[in-house]
Amino acid sequence: MNVTLRPATAADAPRVASLLIDTRAAFMPYAPSAHTDPEVRDWVGAHLVPSGGVTVAEIGGKVVAAMAADKAEALSWITQMAVEPTLVGQGIGSLLLAHAKCTLPLPIRLYTFQANSGARRFYERHGFKVVELTDGKANEERCPDVLLEFKGPNGEV
Ligand SMILES: CC(C)(COP(=O)(O)OP(=O)(O)OC[C@H]1O[C@@H](n2cnc3c(N)ncnc32)[C@H](O)[C@@H]1OP(=O)(O)O)[C@@H](O)C(=O)NCCC(=O)NCCS
C-alpha cells in the first residue's frame, strides 16, 4: 500500500470534512457531534484547512486520512485524526502520527474520548501517556475524555 502524506489544500476541505463526519458516525456513536454536518463542512473549509495545520494521507490520488495539528506556546496539539473507516487498522494512522512526531515541537498533546478504547490503545502504543482523565464537562459533547501526551522517544521533552 503506497501512502503519501502532504499538507491539505483548499480543494481537500470537502473530503477532510467527510472523513471527520464518517469516522464520528462509525466509531464514536456515544459522542455525537455538537454540530450539524453542514456546520462541520463550513468550519473545515473556513477555519481548519486554512489554518495550515492539516496533513492528508493519499493512496492512488485519493485522500484516505487526515490529521490536524496546532502549535501552542510550549507544546503542540493534535486536534483531529481520522482514517477512512474501511481502511482502519492498516498503519495509516501510525504514518500520520510518525509525521507529527517528526514535524511538531514536543511535547504533543491530544484529547480522545475515554470510551474510544481503540484510539487510546493506538496512542499509548505510540508512546503517549495519560496526563488527566476528565468528566467531559469542558468538551462540546459532554463526554468524559482523556488528555494524552507524547514527550519524546525516551519520555524526554
Ligand atoms: C484511531 C485511528 C486514527 C488509528 O489509525 P489506524 O490507521 O486505524 O491505526 P493503525 O493501523 O496505524 O494502528 C492500528 C491500531 O489503531 C487502533 N484502532 C483504533 N480504532 C480502531 C479501529 N476502529 N479499528 C482498528 N484499529 C483501531 C488499534 O489500537 C489498532 O491496533 P490493534 O490492531 O492492535 O487493535 C483510526 O482508527 C481512526 O480514525 N479511528 C476513528 C476515529 C478516531 O478514533 N480518531 C481519534 C480521535 S482522537
Side-chain angles (χ1 to χ4, degrees):
M1 196 167 55
N2 193 5
V3 184
T4 53
L5 305 185
R6 62 170 174 79
T9 67
D12 296 313
R15 176 65 180 140
V16 170
S18 294
L19 286 166
L20 299 185
I21 292 165
D22 293 350
T23 53
R24 173 77 68 138
F27 300 116
M28 291 170 261
Y30 47 81
S33 175
H35 301 280
T36 64
D37 291 357
E39 285 170 350
V40 173
R41 291 187 181 285
D42 284 350
W43 172 74
V44 170
H47 297 285
L48 188 69
V49 169
S51 75
V54 180
T55 302
V56 293
E58 272 187 341
I59 299 177
K62 185 183 177 207
V63 171
V64 295
M67 173 181 71
D70 252 354
K71 290 174 206 165
E73 252 174 42
L75 70 171
S76 305
W77 289 88
I78 292 176
T79 59
Q80 307 287 338
M81 177 78 102
V83 175
E84 153 68 39
T86 58
L87 292 172
V88 296
Q90 296 189 41
I92 300 166
S94 295
L95 283 178
L96 283 166
L97 206 49
H99 178 72
K101 289 176 179 178
C102 291
T103 55
L104 295 174
L106 301 180
I108 303 170
R109 287 188 166 193
L110 60 87
Y111 281 100
T112 193
F113 295 120
Q114 290 180 32
N116 197 347
S117 51
R120 283 183 69 175
R121 206 166 56 234
F122 168 75
Y123 292 122
E124 289 179 26
R125 179 179 315 125
H126 286 284
F128 282 72
K129 304 266 191 277
V130 175
V131 174
E132 185 188 11
L133 295 168
T134 84
D135 59 12
K137 288 198 177 122
N139 65 41
E140 288 186 323
E141 296 84 357
R142 304 287 183 268
C143 186
D145 55 20
V146 51
L147 174 60
L148 295 164
E149 181 178 69
F150 177 75
K151 288 187 167 174
N154 302 308
E156 81 283 10
V157 177

